[in-house]
Amino acid sequence: MGRFWSILFLLVPILGVGVFVWAMAGLWPMAGHWLPENVNDHGHVIDNLFMFILILTGVIFIGTGIALFWFLWKYDSANNAAPVAFTHGSHTLEVVWSIIPAAALVFIAIYQMNAWADAKMRRPTLADGRVKPEIAEVTGRQFEWRIRYAGKDGIVGTEDDVQVVNDLHLPVDEEIVLKIKSQDVLHSFFLPNLRIKQDVVPGMKQFVWFRANKTGVYDIVCAELCGWGHYKMRGRITLESREDFDRWLAKAYDEQNQAQYTPATGEAE
Amino acid sequence: MSAVAVPTHGTVHDHHAPALDLGTFVRTYVFSLDHKIIGLQFLFSTLLWFLVGGLLALGIRWQLAWPWTDMPIIGRMLFSAEGGQISPEFYTTLFTMHATVMIFFVIIPILAGAFGNYLIPLMIGADDMAFPTLNMLSYWFMWPAFICIGISFLWPPYGAGGGWTSYPPLSVVTEAAPGSAFAQTMWLLGVTFVGVSSMMGSVNYMTTIIQMRAPGMTMFRLPMTIWGMFITAILQAFALPVLTAAGFMQLMDRTMGTGFFLPEGLIVNNSMPATGGGQPLLWQHLFWFYSHPAVYIMILPAMGMVSDIIACFARKPLFGYKPMVYSISGIAGLGFIVWGHHMFVSGMNPLLGMTFMVSTMMIALPSAVKTFNWLGTIWGGKIQFTTPMLFALSFVSMFIIGGLSGIFMAATPVDIFIHDTYFIVAHFHYVLFAGTAMAVFGAIYFWFPKMFGRMMDENLGKIHFFLTFLFLNGTFFTMHILGAVGFPRRLADPYDYETFRHLLPMNQFMTICAIGMVATQVIFAYNFIRSMFFGTPVGRNPWGANSLEWMAPSPPGHGNFDFQPIVYRGPYEYGSPEVDTDFYPQTQPPPSDPARRVKPEHH
Ligand code: HEM
Ligand SMILES: [Cu+2]
Ligand SMILES: [Cu+2]
């Protein structure tokens, strides 16, 4: 039976890698079972890092998996007449297999710092060096996303703001800054196709930024449990050219003022 | 070293007294002070909860595979109100309770409570724990926890549904969710009682291991199981007070209007405005300051047991004993400074995220060292593929996957994408189910003969192993793929999103595997119960192992040893040239002929 069990453990790296490769190739029945389309200029960094770690860990996964299989196969008591190697360890080996992974881990740690800083710390700036103001403010509440555009004056929170629910429109090919917050419990503003995720916390405000490079309509997902309706807290993000966006915003402004829209209580800051 | 004399009253008492009146029965089996009975009480309770947790998981899986359809059989039993259909409110309760039961009622108490209790005195050569009464209380304090969580689950209309992480404001503001009213208070009380129980156990284990070792049992002659339990006890002692305090803060926010976790003026779902002054993130810091060390509480003892099982069935000394000890100590130390990796995108200062990223990367190192040493142990051995060995080997194989997926999430930019997706769910099921739970199965098969004096059936054991191994990978490996698509966790119906709609067939496959996995456990239950009464009777040392528990009778009587154990060496001298057997018990005196003695290696 030792042979059988050795092979069972060998199947772990074989099938493990197989499933990943299969999914990456998008073959039936796993079409689209991989990183979803990325339309953010900064998103590639995350995808590349993911792939880099996948390859690195994949090598370790295969290496240790094969070692496990080979030792089980070779030293099966049913087929192995040699006496056991009576050893308590090896100082040299311990040093080697501590230093090599340590070096690899330190490398990954340092290598990714820049990507993290770009995503969460280095907010885009204007030509004069000031931080770029937000184009819109998104507020999560049970169970919808309320969106407020700056309007003509470029400032959120004034008379000419445009307000919509769950329907975020943004122009492509420019740095977008969004201010996101929560009105009640925790939510998380997740844009899978832009590799953006940020929890929103009542009492705090957060900023996310990205530069979309493709027009289209994508999902806004709530990724932090916010109550029974968490699953249906779904918004849509429409990425369009600057002209289309301006036209849409103007139309939304007109419609809103015709309808005498008044914000619900509790929404004003 | 610590030559604490062990009174040998094992020989004095005759515990097989035939006349068993009610008072004796209650004292011997119910409010028993004997660490072995207490250990078995923990074992039986946790195994029953394991069943409950498994059924709750099937509820979750059902909803993800066939959303909003009647769940057969269990559906009508559990939620007749909706006609067997899972409502979104109930779905939140399901995953909250699944995690709560599995973490607080299964994994933590089965490791420390069941195996810690049973094995510590036996493996160090003591007659019982240092504080038997405290030990008994640590079991009985689980019962208020069982009751509180039970009420919290069943409280109408919906049980607690804030997730096992219980993040405010959802968990604090009563109006925020149907389960955030009374049920949430009960949930907090339940978790607090588990904490009290663990704390009592932890103090006891530390004292026992430090003070009650048999003559000759130095710290570096302890089996790895004991090292795992020892470090775990220390982790609990330092981390638990923080959780308990945080739990009380949340209780006070809920019941007395304090505002530790709520910002000023917060209104949720037309609630009264909060007095505020607090910060929701504070809870996350406190919670993870406990719960990250807690994930090691949930694996270090398992690593210890796996080390013992692997060395025994490789018939070879454990490779790198001291590096193994240093690794778990390193994991424990680092474990206190990585909690922020659960909060990378929480809104915490991103600079802080960077430091937590570095410490998290570093904690993967001792895990890697341990894995290499397990591989070193089976290298050059004479491997016996017994059921416990298969489970222990699968621990190693699966822990590699769980450890490697940790690196993805430790990489902060990648975590932006995969946080709160099924990638995380895959990660912790690989370490906790495929890792710890498999190790626990192995440990049950391994120590069952000691506990009951009879063997479990090996053939059934291997079938149980094979099917569990297959189904668990079918259920959990696929979760990595879902995670790569960004499939979020905790959604009652993710298929509303265009991005995830096409993932339904994969989820159905996973659910079928999960049903198979739970069904397979029937084989285990049958084997366990049958073997207790009809298994082949065994002597003291059926596996030919070295550590002290195998020198005691099976099952050991009250007081454990019928002789005074004296320890001459570490527990891993398998295949030693000093003796003709391939094992060399810790209590066996060295050969009288000095020429036969092996010089200690220096490495
Ligand atoms: C190799 C070492 C490990 C690393 C680098 C690591 C890293 C991480 C990270 C970064 C997260 C947070 C992911 C997120 O929420 O975005 C996480 C989550 C988690 N880890 Fe690990 N981990 C490791 C080992 C373990 C072990 C040994 C266990 C348990 C025995 C464990 C249990 C968990 C659990 C339960 C969660 C999820 C908690 C939740 O959100 O509900 N991890 N891990
Ligand atoms: Cu939500
Ligand atoms: Cu953690």
Side-chain angles (χ1 to χ4, degrees), chain A residues 143 145 185-188 221-227 229-233, chain B residues 491 497:
Chain A
F143 299 100
W145 300 101
V185 297
L186 302 180
H187 305 275
S188 189
V221 181
C222 179
E224 182 64 65
L225 177 65
C226 56
H230 172 47
Y231 72 100
K232 57 176 193 161
M233 189 161 160
Chain B
L491 293 192
Y497 290 108

Short mmCIF file of all heavy atoms in Angstrom, two decimals, chain A residues 143 145 185-188 221-227 229-233, chain B residues 491 497, ligand 2:
data_model
loop_
_atom_site.label_atom_id
_atom_site.label_comp_id
_atom_site.label_asym_id
_atom_site.label_seq_id
_atom_site.Cartn_x
_atom_site.Cartn_y
_atom_site.Cartn_z
N PHE A 143 -28.45 49.38 2.10
CA PHE A 143 -27.49 48.59 1.39
C PHE A 143 -27.31 49.18 0.00
O PHE A 143 -27.81 48.63 -0.96
CB PHE A 143 -27.99 47.13 1.31
CG PHE A 143 -28.17 46.53 2.70
CD1 PHE A 143 -29.41 46.45 3.29
CD2 PHE A 143 -27.05 46.08 3.41
CE1 PHE A 143 -29.55 45.93 4.57
CE2 PHE A 143 -27.21 45.54 4.68
CZ PHE A 143 -28.46 45.47 5.27
N TRP A 145 -24.90 52.34 -2.45
CA TRP A 145 -23.81 53.31 -2.56
C TRP A 145 -24.40 54.63 -3.02
O TRP A 145 -24.96 54.72 -4.09
CB TRP A 145 -22.76 52.83 -3.56
CG TRP A 145 -22.14 51.52 -3.21
CD1 TRP A 145 -22.45 50.30 -3.73
CD2 TRP A 145 -21.10 51.30 -2.25
NE1 TRP A 145 -21.67 49.33 -3.16
CE2 TRP A 145 -20.82 49.91 -2.24
CE3 TRP A 145 -20.36 52.13 -1.39
CZ2 TRP A 145 -19.85 49.34 -1.42
CZ3 TRP A 145 -19.40 51.55 -0.58
CH2 TRP A 145 -19.15 50.18 -0.59
N VAL A 185 -22.61 51.34 9.02
CA VAL A 185 -21.70 50.29 9.49
C VAL A 185 -20.51 50.20 8.54
O VAL A 185 -20.37 51.03 7.64
CB VAL A 185 -22.42 48.92 9.55
CG1 VAL A 185 -23.56 48.97 10.55
CG2 VAL A 185 -22.93 48.51 8.19
N LEU A 186 -19.65 49.20 8.74
CA LEU A 186 -18.54 49.03 7.82
C LEU A 186 -19.04 48.51 6.48
O LEU A 186 -19.97 47.70 6.43
CB LEU A 186 -17.53 48.01 8.36
CG LEU A 186 -16.90 48.26 9.71
CD1 LEU A 186 -15.94 47.12 10.04
CD2 LEU A 186 -16.17 49.58 9.74
N HIS A 187 -18.45 48.98 5.41
CA HIS A 187 -18.64 48.40 4.09
C HIS A 187 -17.26 48.35 3.45
O HIS A 187 -16.30 48.89 4.01
CB HIS A 187 -19.55 49.27 3.21
CG HIS A 187 -20.88 49.55 3.82
ND1 HIS A 187 -21.94 48.69 3.71
CD2 HIS A 187 -21.33 50.59 4.57
CE1 HIS A 187 -22.98 49.20 4.35
NE2 HIS A 187 -22.63 50.35 4.88
N SER A 188 -17.17 47.74 2.30
CA SER A 188 -15.89 47.80 1.62
C SER A 188 -16.14 48.05 0.14
O SER A 188 -16.91 47.34 -0.50
CB SER A 188 -15.11 46.50 1.82
OG SER A 188 -13.81 46.66 1.31
N VAL A 221 -18.63 46.11 -5.84
CA VAL A 221 -18.99 45.05 -4.91
C VAL A 221 -18.80 45.56 -3.49
O VAL A 221 -17.86 46.29 -3.22
CB VAL A 221 -18.08 43.82 -5.14
CG1 VAL A 221 -18.45 42.68 -4.21
CG2 VAL A 221 -18.15 43.36 -6.59
N CYS A 222 -19.71 45.17 -2.59
CA CYS A 222 -19.44 45.43 -1.18
C CYS A 222 -18.75 44.20 -0.62
O CYS A 222 -19.26 43.10 -0.70
CB CYS A 222 -20.71 45.71 -0.38
SG CYS A 222 -20.32 45.99 1.37
N ALA A 223 -17.55 44.40 -0.08
CA ALA A 223 -16.75 43.25 0.34
C ALA A 223 -16.60 43.16 1.85
O ALA A 223 -15.77 42.41 2.35
CB ALA A 223 -15.37 43.32 -0.32
N GLU A 224 -17.35 43.94 2.60
CA GLU A 224 -17.27 43.79 4.06
C GLU A 224 -18.68 43.59 4.58
O GLU A 224 -19.58 44.37 4.25
CB GLU A 224 -16.63 45.04 4.68
CG GLU A 224 -16.46 45.00 6.19
CD GLU A 224 -15.50 43.92 6.64
OE1 GLU A 224 -14.31 44.01 6.30
OE2 GLU A 224 -15.95 42.97 7.33
N LEU A 225 -18.85 42.55 5.38
CA LEU A 225 -20.17 42.22 5.90
C LEU A 225 -20.84 43.44 6.50
O LEU A 225 -20.28 44.10 7.37
CB LEU A 225 -20.03 41.12 6.96
CG LEU A 225 -21.33 40.71 7.65
CD1 LEU A 225 -22.29 40.08 6.67
CD2 LEU A 225 -21.04 39.76 8.80
N CYS A 226 -22.05 43.77 6.03
CA CYS A 226 -22.72 44.98 6.53
C CYS A 226 -24.15 44.69 6.94
O CYS A 226 -24.94 45.60 7.13
CB CYS A 226 -22.66 46.08 5.48
SG CYS A 226 -23.35 45.62 3.90
N GLY A 227 -24.50 43.40 7.08
CA GLY A 227 -25.86 43.10 7.51
C GLY A 227 -26.51 42.10 6.58
O GLY A 227 -25.86 41.55 5.69
N GLY A 229 -28.50 42.38 4.14
CA GLY A 229 -28.60 42.71 2.72
C GLY A 229 -27.24 42.91 2.05
O GLY A 229 -27.18 43.40 0.93
N HIS A 230 -26.19 42.51 2.74
CA HIS A 230 -24.83 42.69 2.23
C HIS A 230 -24.70 42.19 0.78
O HIS A 230 -24.06 42.83 -0.05
CB HIS A 230 -23.88 41.93 3.17
CG HIS A 230 -22.47 41.83 2.73
ND1 HIS A 230 -21.76 42.91 2.24
CD2 HIS A 230 -21.62 40.79 2.70
CE1 HIS A 230 -20.54 42.52 1.93
NE2 HIS A 230 -20.42 41.24 2.19
N TYR A 231 -25.30 41.05 0.50
CA TYR A 231 -25.12 40.43 -0.82
C TYR A 231 -25.71 41.27 -1.95
O TYR A 231 -25.34 41.11 -3.11
CB TYR A 231 -25.74 39.04 -0.83
CG TYR A 231 -27.26 39.04 -0.82
CD1 TYR A 231 -27.99 38.83 -1.98
CD2 TYR A 231 -27.95 39.26 0.36
CE1 TYR A 231 -29.37 38.85 -1.97
CE2 TYR A 231 -29.31 39.28 0.39
CZ TYR A 231 -30.03 39.08 -0.78
OH TYR A 231 -31.38 39.11 -0.76
N LYS A 232 -26.68 42.14 -1.60
CA LYS A 232 -27.32 42.87 -2.69
C LYS A 232 -26.88 44.32 -2.76
O LYS A 232 -27.50 45.14 -3.41
CB LYS A 232 -28.83 42.76 -2.58
CG LYS A 232 -29.37 43.25 -1.27
CD LYS A 232 -30.89 43.21 -1.26
CE LYS A 232 -31.40 43.98 -0.07
NZ LYS A 232 -32.77 44.38 -0.16
N MET A 233 -25.80 44.62 -2.06
CA MET A 233 -25.29 45.99 -2.08
C MET A 233 -24.41 46.16 -3.31
O MET A 233 -23.20 46.26 -3.24
CB MET A 233 -24.50 46.25 -0.81
CG MET A 233 -24.12 47.69 -0.64
SD MET A 233 -23.71 48.03 1.06
CE MET A 233 -22.77 49.54 0.81
N LEU B 491 -21.32 36.37 1.16
CA LEU B 491 -22.45 36.85 0.38
C LEU B 491 -23.49 35.74 0.26
O LEU B 491 -23.16 34.63 -0.14
CB LEU B 491 -22.02 37.25 -1.03
CG LEU B 491 -21.10 38.45 -1.21
CD1 LEU B 491 -21.04 38.84 -2.67
CD2 LEU B 491 -21.57 39.63 -0.39
N TYR B 497 -23.95 39.55 -9.04
CA TYR B 497 -22.85 40.29 -9.68
C TYR B 497 -22.48 39.62 -10.99
O TYR B 497 -22.26 38.41 -11.04
CB TYR B 497 -21.62 40.30 -8.77
CG TYR B 497 -21.76 41.15 -7.54
CD1 TYR B 497 -21.90 40.57 -6.28
CD2 TYR B 497 -21.74 42.53 -7.62
CE1 TYR B 497 -22.01 41.34 -5.14
CE2 TYR B 497 -21.86 43.32 -6.48
CZ TYR B 497 -21.99 42.72 -5.24
OH TYR B 497 -22.10 43.49 -4.13
CU CU C 2 -21.72 44.94 2.62
#
